[in-house]
Amino acid sequence: DQQVKQNSPSLSVQEGRISILNCDYTNSMFDYFLWYKKYPAEGPTFLISISSIKDKNEDGRFTVFLNKSAKHLSLHIVPSQPGDSAVYFCAAAPYNTDKLIFGTGTRLQVFP
Amino acid sequence: DAGVTQSPTHLIKTRGQQVTLRCSPKSGHDTVSWYQQALGQGPQFIFQYYEEEERQRGNFPDRFSGHQFPNYSSELNVNALLLGDSALYLCASSTGPNMYQETQYFGPGTRLLVL
């Protein structure tokens, strides 16, 4: 039972363009969402988060959008840079727990 | 400032054996969580330790157990290894068990192969 889904296993974007990574969830009890970036041979690194009371959070080139009615969130990276090439995981946390439920990841490749 | 460290980096075991993986949290962190990441999947929460006690647990059998020491380091033990236990085991640390206030810092992981 995959409660957090990232349906695109890979995404290829040209440098300077916008990268949009999508994530869907099924559990309405999730109320906190995070994006992590993972390079090979390294652990995931926290990127940005959003609480369910918001619909947008922005941090530099990274913006996360949350659509609670659609149970959908997305990560926008603009402009994309080659150093952004990595696997991106979205994760969700149910209310009042410390468990992170991860999606399966999307591999982003940014080419010159 | 050292981040989260894990040992060993790689490990090969055979079915039925037991394994112990170790994690040292980031300086100043007192909470450790363990995750299993199978090939092509996202990390799955195993359990979390705070104040030397298991606070929360994911859907993993009792073959998976852990421990936290007074210096906040932690061990993950897996008994009676199965082929399906082959995965990358990630440790994450944070300051306090409530991740709403704190983000978790992940180590590089231990890759376990069960033959």
Side-chain angles (χ1 to χ4, degrees):
Chain A
D1 178 24
Q2 191 71 31
Q3 298 186 67
V4 178
K5 301 177 184 179
Q6 294 177 256
N7 292 318
S8 298
S10 64
L11 176 67
S12 188
V13 173
Q14 189 173 28
E15 181 179 5
R17 303 270 187 158
I18 185 171
S19 295
I20 300 177
L21 295 94
N22 294 303
C23 181
D24 297 295
Y25 61 97
T26 58
N27 191 338
S28 58
M29 296 300 291
F30 291 152
D31 74 338
Y32 198 72
F33 303 89
L34 307 91
W35 284 93
Y36 283 83
K37 178 169 71 173
K38 187 180 187 300
Y39 293 117
E42 295 182 11
T45 303
F46 170 76
L47 200 55
I48 192 169
S49 63
I50 188 167
S51 164
S52 61
I53 63 173
K54 296 185 176 181
D55 55 15
K56 176 183 175 181
N57 189 25
E58 191 172 355
D59 184 4
R61 296 186 297 113
F62 303 92
T63 303
V64 56
F65 295 92
L66 175 62
N67 183 332
K68 283 175 290 184
S69 61
K71 293 189 176 67
H72 177 84
L73 66 155
S74 61
L75 174 68
H76 293 207
I77 306 173
V78 56
S80 301
Q81 300 174 354
D84 296 330
S85 298
V87 177
Y88 289 78
F89 292 99
C90 70
Y95 174 75
N96 206 30
T97 78
D98 298 327
K99 299 178 187 179
L100 283 177
I101 313 297
F102 282 85
T104 53
T106 296
R107 182 177 301 277
L108 172 66
Q109 183 179 9
V110 181
F111 59 92
Chain B
D1 178 25
V4 179
T5 59
Q6 292 186 243
S7 63
T9 55
H10 296 81
L11 201 53
I12 299 176
K13 291 285 188 178
T14 56
R15 280 181 301 176
Q17 285 189 312
Q18 179 263 346
V19 69
T20 297
L21 310 181
R22 296 176 176 82
C23 172
S24 291
K26 182 178 168 62
S27 177
H29 286 189
D30 58 7
T31 303
V32 173
S33 299
W34 286 92
Y35 293 81
Q36 180 196 65
Q37 185 181 7
L39 198 61
Q41 301 297 315
Q44 287 197 352
F45 177 81
I46 303 175
F47 42 53
Q48 181 186 72
Y49 277 84
Y50 173 66
E51 293 186 336
E52 301 181 47
E53 290 189 359
E54 181 182 298
R55 292 190 74 252
Q56 300 217 23
R57 189 177 182 93
N59 295 325
F60 280 81
D62 293 343
R63 298 186 298 109
F64 289 78
S65 63
H67 187 77
Q68 186 178 35
F69 298 94
N71 67 353
Y72 309 123
S73 67
S74 177
E75 288 182 349
L76 164 65
N77 300 292
V78 187
N79 294 323
L81 283 167
L82 304 174
L83 297 180
D85 295 331
S86 296
L88 179 69
Y89 288 85
L90 294 163
C91 167
S93 73
S94 58
T95 54
N98 190 337
M99 52 76 61
Y100 290 92
Q101 278 79 44
E102 302 291 340
T103 58
Q104 296 187 43
Y105 288 78
F106 283 83
T110 293
R111 187 163 296 282
L112 172 64
L113 177 62
V114 182
L115 301 176

